[in-house]
Amino acid sequence: MAPQHRPALPVLGGRKPSYRERVADALRAALIAGELRPGEVYSAPGLAARFGVSATPVREAMLDLAKEGLVDTVPNKGFRVTVVSERQLDEYTHIRSLIEIPTTAALATTADPADLQALRPLAQEIVTSAATGDLIAYVEADLRFHLDLLSLAGNTHLVEVVQDLRRRSRLYGLTALAEAGRLRTSAEEHLELLDALVARDTEAARKVMTQHLGHVRGLWASTT
């Protein structure tokens, strides 16, 4: 049975110092997953209703996303999700492959096994999110996993570049994959990657990472 598709934006509770950042992270995840569609205008009050919070933190978060070029402000209406062309997505993915594949594979010989194992709960969270069809949680956990993994290489600027590229990407096919029950297979690649890295198998890690990134413009990009 295909997992039930959850609302585009999760309900958030409580008030914390990082509340604005938490809202912005969820909105970015919705953009990446394609649940906030390009070209459409969304109002802060309308998005706030989905969050179950006031419009203020949503409006502030959307202004942050506007600075990142992910949305444009529409006077008296709200925010329009920017359109990303197929060529741009191909270019983002190409740059990511040049950075992420060799850097991740090299961790098989340089990373502390304990640091790698510490990422296993996060990898499992990705699998769980895929199984339940929670695309927002999936994208957020996937981003944290890969950035935390790359940080083990010790290059802060590299991590920042990849973070920007991942935020600009769009994975329009995630919804269809989740509904078809096929997203979990891709999610489990995170566990396979950790197994290869812990085993110090550079080539296996390179193979898994290459396959995983290939989904961005292949399996994940398809809406059929």
Side-chain angles (χ1 to χ4, degrees):
M1 181 179 179
Q4 184 177 0
H5 184 55
R6 298 184 61 171
L9 294 174
V11 175
L12 303 177
R15 293 184 178 277
K16 301 178 180 179
S18 60
Y19 205 69
R20 172 175 174 172
E21 289 79 8
R22 177 67 182 88
V23 173
D25 286 343
L27 287 168
R28 288 190 193 95
L31 283 166
I32 294 171
E35 294 197 4
L36 294 183
R37 303 301 298 178
E40 292 193 17
V41 177
Y42 297 89
S43 69
L47 292 174
R50 300 190 196 185
F51 275 85
V53 297
S54 67
T56 299
V58 175
R59 186 176 295 107
E60 292 175 344
M62 291 299 277
L63 289 173
D64 289 339
L65 268 58
K67 293 177 182 178
E68 298 171 14
L70 300 180
V71 299
D72 295 319
T73 58
V74 180
N76 303 317
K77 291 185 177 181
F79 302 87
R80 178 183 291 109
V81 178
T82 56
V83 177
V84 182
S85 70
E86 293 294 315
R87 179 174 179 175
Q88 286 176 304
L89 291 175
D90 287 339
E91 291 175 348
Y92 295 157
T93 304
H94 179 60
I95 297 172
R96 285 178 55 188
S97 69
L98 294 175
I99 298 174
E100 293 187 64
I101 294 174
T103 303
T104 300
L107 292 174
T109 58
T110 61
D112 187 328
D115 291 334
L116 293 169
Q117 292 288 14
L119 292 174
R120 196 166 292 276
L122 189 52
Q124 187 57 56
E125 182 181 336
I126 297 172
V127 174
T128 300
S129 299
T132 59
D134 189 339
L135 301 186
I136 304 302
Y138 180 94
V139 171
E140 287 186 313
D142 178 74
L143 178 63
R144 294 201 312 273
F145 174 88
H146 287 287
L147 294 183
D148 287 353
L149 182 61
L150 289 172
S151 70
L152 299 181
N155 189 327
T156 302
H157 295 294
L158 180 149
V159 175
E160 291 175 350
V161 169
V162 172
Q163 181 180 44
D164 180 65
L165 290 170
R166 281 178 168 268
R167 286 177 172 177
R168 293 177 182 276
S169 299
R170 300 289 190 274
L171 305 174
Y172 299 129
L174 285 185
T175 298
L177 286 175
E179 292 176 345
R182 298 168 59 196
L183 188 57
R184 181 165 182 168
T185 299
S186 179
E188 290 175 345
E189 290 174 352
H190 297 83
L191 294 171
E192 295 174 18
L193 179 60
L194 283 180
D195 289 340
L197 292 172
V198 171
R200 298 300 194 190
D201 192 332
T202 301
E203 287 310 308
R206 186 186 306 276
K207 181 178 179 180
V208 174
M209 192 61 201
T210 300
Q211 175 179 299
H212 189 64
L213 260 185
H215 294 163
V216 174
R217 296 301 294 139
L219 189 65
W220 291 352
S222 174
T223 57
T224 59

